[in-house]
Amino acid sequence: MRYTLGPNRNPFRLHRVSIPAGAQFPTTVCELGVPLTASNAVLERSTVLAATLHPASGRFPLPKWTATTRPGTIGVIGDTGCQVPAAGPVQDCINHQTGWPFPQIANSVANVTRPDLVIHVGDYLYREDPDEENDKAANPGCTTSPDRAGWACVVADFFRPAETLLATAPVALTRGNHEDRNALQQGGAGGAWFRYLADELRDNGSCSLYTVHATIRAGTLNLVSVDSSYADPADNGNTGQRDIYTRQFDAVNRAARQHPTEDYFVVTHKPLWMVKAVGSMTGSVEWVTHVLDEAVANTQRGRLADNVRLALSGHIHLYQMVDFNTVRPPQLTVGSSGGRPLDNGPDDSKFVGQPVGTPPQPVH
């Protein structure tokens, strides 16, 4: 990688993280930390034995913010993969208009929104049986059931459709429940997540149920990623994992207290207070995810710190912003960036004033 720092433009050797491991991971993975004040970072093709680069130019967008500023515009995407289940209806992956619109959405974010930062709230890999795809011709190496969650499928579901976006702005990634472990805690979509996309990359194909929170400083805006990929896996309201996530949210609050004049976003795949359904009577409201809400209420503070300004999530396939007009931050859910089918949202006019969360607070 060659980048400019001050008056100098020098080459810097990437550090190897992992070497090829079987058919699923036929890749060498390298990484490099680049200073915030650097510019014009380019991966030199003459030194890289890659069949294809994403972005193709080898140019990598660096932050436009400084240590004392923040991103001006943020693009948010979530639940982007093309649904190819082993049984049941298969998403039309080859139709990028109405079938699988993620490539179109990614290009729109890049060319219309032109963000300074992109946040992906999880769920990248939906191809449980690539043999059922209708776009196999475009995805050599991701065409049979054993190929699922391998490098070629990661390219098919994320790197290639997001190529224009990856060339536009830095991207912060959050793990979704589809990046799950298999029975051996090796390989699978979780193994691909930890090998290619996680904050701390692994070289052994392992996959954990829970990982520690990760903080990304974007100048004076701080993103704290909480891994909720395995929170209440059946989505049935079970709160048995409360203490596990209480420790995570206590850590969020400790981080926020370290910089009380700066803002924090909690980025976690499953929502804390997303309203899924609502009736006409007061209290007839269904919201998700109860174990995360109870974990926040069980923290030493009993809520999120005052400078936590937003809970940002996906998982439910719709867009929704819920505000409480209190110290509880708004809940923004963006799970509508390509995965199908979309979920039906509630009638907005019916859930204003409905109580949500612990303690119950009316939706504003």
Side-chain angles (χ1 to χ4, degrees):
M1 176 78 75
R2 190 180 293 270
Y3 58 78
T4 300
L5 188 62
N8 302 314
R9 181 166 181 78
N10 296 314
F12 297 86
R13 186 177 180 86
L14 278 72
H15 309 292
R16 189 172 67 189
V17 176
S18 61
I19 60 176
Q24 184 182 17
F25 304 135
T27 52
T28 296
V29 177
C30 300
E31 64 181 1
L32 180 69
V34 178
L36 182 61
T37 52
S39 62
N40 194 17
V42 179
L43 192 65
E44 295 193 342
R45 284 299 301 260
S46 62
T47 67
V48 179
L49 299 175
T52 308
L53 291 183
H54 307 279
S57 66
R59 294 185 175 274
F60 286 77
L62 298 177
K64 297 178 182 178
W65 58 85
T66 68
T68 58
T69 63
R70 65 177 63 194
T73 302
I74 299 175
V76 181
I77 54 177
D79 299 76
T80 58
C82 190
Q83 292 264 19
V84 186
V90 173
Q91 196 168 342
D92 186 359
C93 300
I94 208 168
N95 182 342
H96 296 165
Q97 299 297 315
T98 58
W100 180 41
F102 174 50
Q104 179 185 0
I105 290 170
N107 288 339
S108 178
V109 175
N111 297 317
V112 180
T113 306
R114 299 203 62 80
D116 299 318
L117 172 69
V118 176
I119 300 173
H120 194 309
V121 293
D123 277 3
Y124 313 77
L125 308 176
Y126 287 171
R127 297 179 189 240
E128 297 177 9
D129 186 1
D131 189 44
E132 298 296 320
E133 300 170 17
N134 65 355
D135 63 349
K136 287 184 287 191
N139 302 313
C142 181
T143 60
T144 68
S145 181
D147 296 334
R148 69 176 297 267
W151 167 245
C153 288
V154 177
V155 170
D157 258 0
F158 180 62
F159 282 109
R160 188 170 61 244
E163 181 166 345
T164 302
L165 188 56
L166 295 172
T168 301
V171 182
L173 306 177
T174 306
R175 182 185 179 190
N177 63 294
H178 278 268
E179 289 71 63
D180 56 353
R181 66 172 189 169
N182 59 20
L184 299 176
Q185 301 188 48
Q186 293 284 329
W193 163 259
F194 284 106
R195 191 174 186 89
Y196 298 122
L197 302 173
D199 294 292
E200 292 189 12
L201 302 178
R202 299 180 181 180
D203 64 357
N204 59 4
S206 66
C207 179
S208 303
L209 289 182
Y210 310 102
T211 54
V212 298
H213 74 287
T215 301
I216 300 174
R217 288 182 58 80
T220 58
L221 175 65
N222 300 270
L223 311 177
V224 186
S225 177
V226 174
D227 183 354
S228 62
S229 59
Y230 199 68
D232 185 13
D235 286 333
N236 59 6
N238 189 297
T239 58
Q241 305 156 307
R242 185 194 68 175
D243 292 347
I244 293 173
Y245 289 104
T246 293
R247 293 191 288 271
Q248 296 266 25
F249 290 116
D250 271 328
V252 171
N253 284 343
R254 286 194 299 271
R257 286 199 302 269
Q258 291 178 359
H259 302 279
T261 62
E262 298 181 357
D263 292 334
Y264 282 74
F265 289 177
V266 172
V267 184
T268 187
H269 179 63
K270 293 194 173 182
L272 283 69
W273 305 295
M274 180 263 157
V275 177
K276 194 170 183 180
V278 64
S280 300
M281 303 295 292
T282 299
S284 58
V285 58
E286 179 186 349
W287 50 275
V288 293
T289 306
H290 287 252
V291 64
L292 300 180
D293 162 72
E294 287 205 6
V296 169
N298 193 47
T299 59
Q300 294 178 3
R301 187 181 181 89
R303 59 182 176 85
L304 293 174
D306 292 349
N307 55 332
V308 174
R309 306 298 185 185
L310 184 68
L312 180 55
S313 310
H315 189 54
I316 308 301
H317 290 185
L318 48 65
Y319 169 89
Q320 184 185 92
M321 170 73 90
V322 177
D323 177 40
F324 300 94
N325 200 30
T326 67
V327 293
R328 177 184 291 170
Q331 168 71 62
L332 174 60
T333 303
V334 182
S336 51
S337 304
R340 290 291 189 267
L342 294 177
D343 288 312
N344 292 319
D347 183 339
D348 291 359
S349 65
K350 291 182 179 179
F351 77 78
V352 173
Q354 288 281 9
V356 169
T358 308
Q361 294 183 10
V363 172
H364 178 63

